[in-house]
């Protein structure tokens, strides 16, 4: 199937999942994850109407973005090393989904020249992926972001441990939503965005409140070297 056909079928799945969950379709934004795919694939997706793309490495994005149409929006979704914060904050990305330390918040704020929306990545399961802060550290990171001049926290992100059974991700997604609901109460900070759900499990994430789903494989096809989560 072509990228255009894949996007059409993802759109149908999103619309069905929203309807199922009793949510309006425009509650959910599709991040097309183009990591390890050439600019040509992005251009094809853009021609099919996709505007929002996600990359997981700053350097790969830095080379790819200038080769793509100017009107596209880019989000950083992968682990961000401190030494890449300056480049990541320099205007390549409209949002960074993977912020997991106070140190990173401070350096993004130092380097950002305009308001920079971020999500805090939470390691819900405490296992699997090494990225993400512990659930009990999120409040301190929200405080840190609230003391910044450019960094703005918009919500939370998670990557559940990989499992071939999408239903197993549900508890992680609902946990993230509950943590968000609690933190909104206790910190008084609006946290409207929940970035969760990938090719395998985005319908379940939508049922559990996702506002950003990050889909790579089901749009662009498989990648050499596996999932490539970092
Ligand atoms: C690669 C990646 C995705 C997309 O995963 P697919 O299974 O290909 O849809 C989503 N989120 C992150 C953080 C990723 O690195």
């Amino acid at each position: 199937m072509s990228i255009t056909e894949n996007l059409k079928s993802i759109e149908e799945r999103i619309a069905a999942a929203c309807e199922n969950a009793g949510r309006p379709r425009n509650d959910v934004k599709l991040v097309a994850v183009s990591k390890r795919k050439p600019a040509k694939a992005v251009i094809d997706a853009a021609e099919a109407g996709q505007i929002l793309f996600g990359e997981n490495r700053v350097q790969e994005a830095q080379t790819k973005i200038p080769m793509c149409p100017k009107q596209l929006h880019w989000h950083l979704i992968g682990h961000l090393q401190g030494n890449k914060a300056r480049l990541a904050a320099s205007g390549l990305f409209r949002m960074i989904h993977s912020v997991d330390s106070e140190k990173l918040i401070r350096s993004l704020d130092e380097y950002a020249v305009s308001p920079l929306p971020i999500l805090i990545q939470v390691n819900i399961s405490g296992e699997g992926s090494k990225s993400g802060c512990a659930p009990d550290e999120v409040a301190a990171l929200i405080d840190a972001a609230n003391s910044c001049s450019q960094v703005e926290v918009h919500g939370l992100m998670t990557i559940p441990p990989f499992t071939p059974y999408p239903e197993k991700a549900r508890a992680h997604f609902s946990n993230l939503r509950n943590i968000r609901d609690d933190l909104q109460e206790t910190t008084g900070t609006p946290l409207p965005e929940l970035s969760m759900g990938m090719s395998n499990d985005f319908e379940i994430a939508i049922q559990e409140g996702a506002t950003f789903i990050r889909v790579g494989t089901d749009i662009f096809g498989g990648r050499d070297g596996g999932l490539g989560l970092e």
Side-chain angles (χ1 to χ4, degrees):
M1 288 232 290
S2 68
I3 288 173
T4 305
E5 288 167 324
N6 290 344
L7 277 168
K8 192 160 169 268
S9 114
I10 298 280
E11 177 51 40
E12 284 164 9
R13 285 167 63 190
I14 297 172
C18 285
E19 184 162 334
N20 235 303
R23 301 178 62 195
R25 168 62 189 91
N26 64 9
D27 259 17
V28 179
K29 298 160 289 271
L30 171 64
V31 183
V33 178
S34 50
K35 67 183 180 199
R36 305 221 302 272
K37 296 290 174 185
K40 172 75 173 69
V42 173
I43 293 164
D44 287 352
E47 277 167 5
Q50 181 65 24
I51 299 281
L52 175 56
F53 292 84
E55 284 286 331
N56 74 332
R57 286 172 175 240
V58 181
Q59 261 159 341
E60 182 179 339
Q62 189 192 20
T63 351
K64 197 179 296 179
I65 292 173
M67 300 165 76
C68 295
K70 295 246 175 322
Q71 77 274 14
L72 303 184
H73 299 182
W74 296 87
H75 288 188
L76 181 66
I77 61 169
H79 178 65
L80 177 56
Q81 288 170 308
N83 62 2
K84 302 278 163 53
R86 178 179 212 141
L87 185 52
S90 67
L92 284 173
F93 304 107
R94 296 203 171 216
M95 182 178 274
I96 299 180
H97 290 225
S98 44
V99 177
D100 61 1
S101 75
E102 181 166 347
K103 202 165 165 219
L104 199 48
I105 290 173
R106 301 274 172 223
S107 50
L108 289 171
D109 197 52
E110 182 186 341
Y111 295 124
V113 292
S114 54
L116 179 61
I118 65 156
L119 305 178
I120 294 173
Q121 182 176 353
V122 189
N123 185 353
I124 295 286
S125 61
E127 51 174 69
S129 154
K130 281 168 278 155
S131 301
C133 68
D136 64 3
E137 293 170 340
V138 185
L141 298 196
I142 291 172
D143 283 349
N146 283 341
S147 74
C148 287
S149 53
Q150 302 290 15
V151 165
E152 297 172 348
V153 61
H154 286 219
L156 308 181
M157 178 272 220
T158 199
I159 308 174
F162 178 78
T163 147
Y165 311 106
E167 262 306 320
K168 290 205 169 162
R170 184 184 297 279
H172 299 292
F173 297 147
S174 64
N175 258 337
L176 190 73
R177 188 192 62 231
N178 289 333
I179 291 170
R180 186 276 306 272
D181 292 350
D182 289 350
L183 286 167
Q184 257 183 172
E185 289 261 330
T186 55
T187 67
T189 304
L191 301 166
E193 308 291 0
L194 288 177
S195 169
M196 55 190 198
M198 315 192 331
S199 293
N200 217 17
D201 53 18
F202 72 76
E203 280 104 337
I204 293 166
I206 289 173
Q207 283 176 2
E208 298 300 332
T211 62
F212 285 111
I213 57 169
R214 310 176 309 265
V215 179
T217 307
D218 282 4
I219 297 173
F220 296 110
R223 296 171 296 266
D224 293 337
L227 275 180
L229 295 173
E230 274 147 47

